[in-house]
Amino acid sequence: KADVSELEWPPGSGERVVVKDFKNRPRWFRILAARPMLRREARALRALKDVEGVPKLVAYPDADCIVQQKMPGIQLQEIDRHDVDEETVVRLDALVAEIHERGVTHGDLHHENILVQDGQVALIDWATAAMFPQKNRGLRGWLFEEFQALDLRAVAKVKLFYVRRLSQEDYDLLENGSRAYRSVKKLRHALDRIRGKKRTDRVNKLLDIMKSKRANDEPAGLVSREHTSEETVPENEHIR
């Protein structure tokens, strides 16, 4: 993890920036991990500089440090699911679609990296971002599709846990994921079996509830909050 701090910049402006600094980390880690992450983050922020909901790159003073705009909002994990309306999720969906249109994927859209304020949405922590040229063929094209699917599955999980309304594409992403996701999931399950660890799949548990409601002729893709008990709904901290 980087040392993260906030400060007012320029002084007296009232504007806040976030400084992410790896200088105090071991040299081998800075070279092998931190610097590539910062390069990816800087490239992504430059490519998305005019996209509302993405922080502006303020400075990239050296290989171990980056300075970016402080985005307003509260982390999604800090918000009760009943306080997130469908319009907020629609805006999240639109924001992710826009960054994909620019040939950029986020790669880590869990609830700590999604900020919400007055219905507006912002995405932070772009260290795992990837960029692709507009014409993607071969391996690059396949990777772009896979990385987009990871982002879209993360958005579908937000829809599932917060507003209970899913499209058929959302169902497919949550049940199957991308090809790379399925491979990683199989490996994880194999390792869990070796270690004797049991993992609760909260996504599939809630999906089963929604399917049951759909089978009973409720509006497609919708389970009302009243029909879903507290015991069956994962707490916000598990939405990853």
Side-chain angles (χ1 to χ4, degrees):
K1 292 285 188 179
D3 293 323
V4 179
S5 59
E6 292 183 25
L7 56 87
E8 185 182 43
W9 189 263
S13 66
E15 299 293 328
R16 306 290 295 180
V17 298
V18 175
V19 181
K20 186 184 294 186
D21 194 344
F22 284 96
K23 288 186 180 64
N24 293 326
R25 300 299 172 266
R27 180 176 174 81
W28 67 266
F29 177 79
R30 299 202 313 269
I31 293 173
L32 295 178
R35 290 175 182 177
M37 287 192 295
L38 290 179
R39 284 196 297 270
R40 283 197 299 269
E41 188 157 12
R43 288 183 62 206
L45 296 184
R46 288 187 183 115
L48 302 172
K49 62 182 180 181
D50 57 343
V51 176
E52 187 176 352
V54 176
K56 304 293 186 290
L57 179 65
V58 176
Y60 189 13
D62 57 55
D64 297 319
C65 180
I66 193 172
V67 184
Q68 57 191 272
Q69 176 189 11
K70 165 71 174 176
M71 299 300 288
I74 302 171
Q75 289 178 321
L76 193 59
Q77 66 175 350
E78 302 295 335
I79 304 175
D80 187 276
R81 62 178 178 270
H82 297 90
D83 294 330
V84 178
D85 59 19
E86 192 169 344
E87 182 60 32
T88 299
V89 177
V90 168
R91 288 174 177 165
L92 172 62
D93 219 349
L95 178 54
V96 172
E98 185 171 2
I99 69 172
H100 288 173
E101 283 290 322
R102 305 292 184 95
V104 181
T105 58
H106 186 283
D108 195 21
L109 280 178
H110 60 76
H111 57 181
E112 294 177 6
N113 292 336
I114 301 172
L115 305 183
V116 177
Q117 179 170 288
D118 299 328
Q120 300 301 312
V121 177
L123 304 178
I124 60 173
D125 196 356
W126 292 80
T128 56
M131 296 183 60
F132 299 86
Q134 289 189 348
K135 294 183 179 180
N136 293 291
R137 298 185 178 90
L139 178 60
R140 294 282 293 178
W142 178 79
L143 286 173
F144 188 34
E145 291 178 359
E146 292 291 302
F147 287 11
Q148 286 183 94
L150 288 174
D151 283 353
L152 293 174
R153 188 176 190 275
V155 174
K157 288 175 74 173
V158 172
K159 296 177 184 178
L160 174 67
F161 284 97
Y162 283 90
V163 298
R164 316 283 193 265
R165 187 183 295 275
L166 300 175
S167 67
Q168 187 57 52
E169 181 183 5
D170 294 327
Y171 272 103
D172 293 341
L173 283 167
L174 289 170
E175 290 190 309
N176 303 312
S178 66
R179 286 166 287 184
Y181 172 82
R182 291 195 296 272
S183 297
V184 171
K185 187 175 181 179
K186 287 180 181 178
L187 176 60
R188 187 181 68 183
H189 286 170
L191 292 174
D192 286 345
R193 285 195 297 270
I194 293 172
R195 294 180 295 180
K197 180 179 180 181
K198 292 185 178 181
R199 190 186 299 266
T200 302
D201 194 333
R202 294 175 173 83
V203 170
N204 284 337
K205 186 175 182 180
L206 192 48
L207 278 176
D208 288 343
I209 297 171
M210 294 186 72
K211 287 179 184 176
S212 174
K213 299 301 181 182
R214 293 178 84 186
N216 292 329
D217 295 326
E218 291 201 4
L222 175 65
V223 172
S224 68
R225 300 167 196 253
E226 293 77 10
H227 289 167
T228 311
S229 70
E230 292 297 323
E231 289 75 17
T232 61
V233 179
E235 293 300 321
N236 292 358
E237 61 263 28
H238 298 301
I239 305 174
R240 301 251 342 166

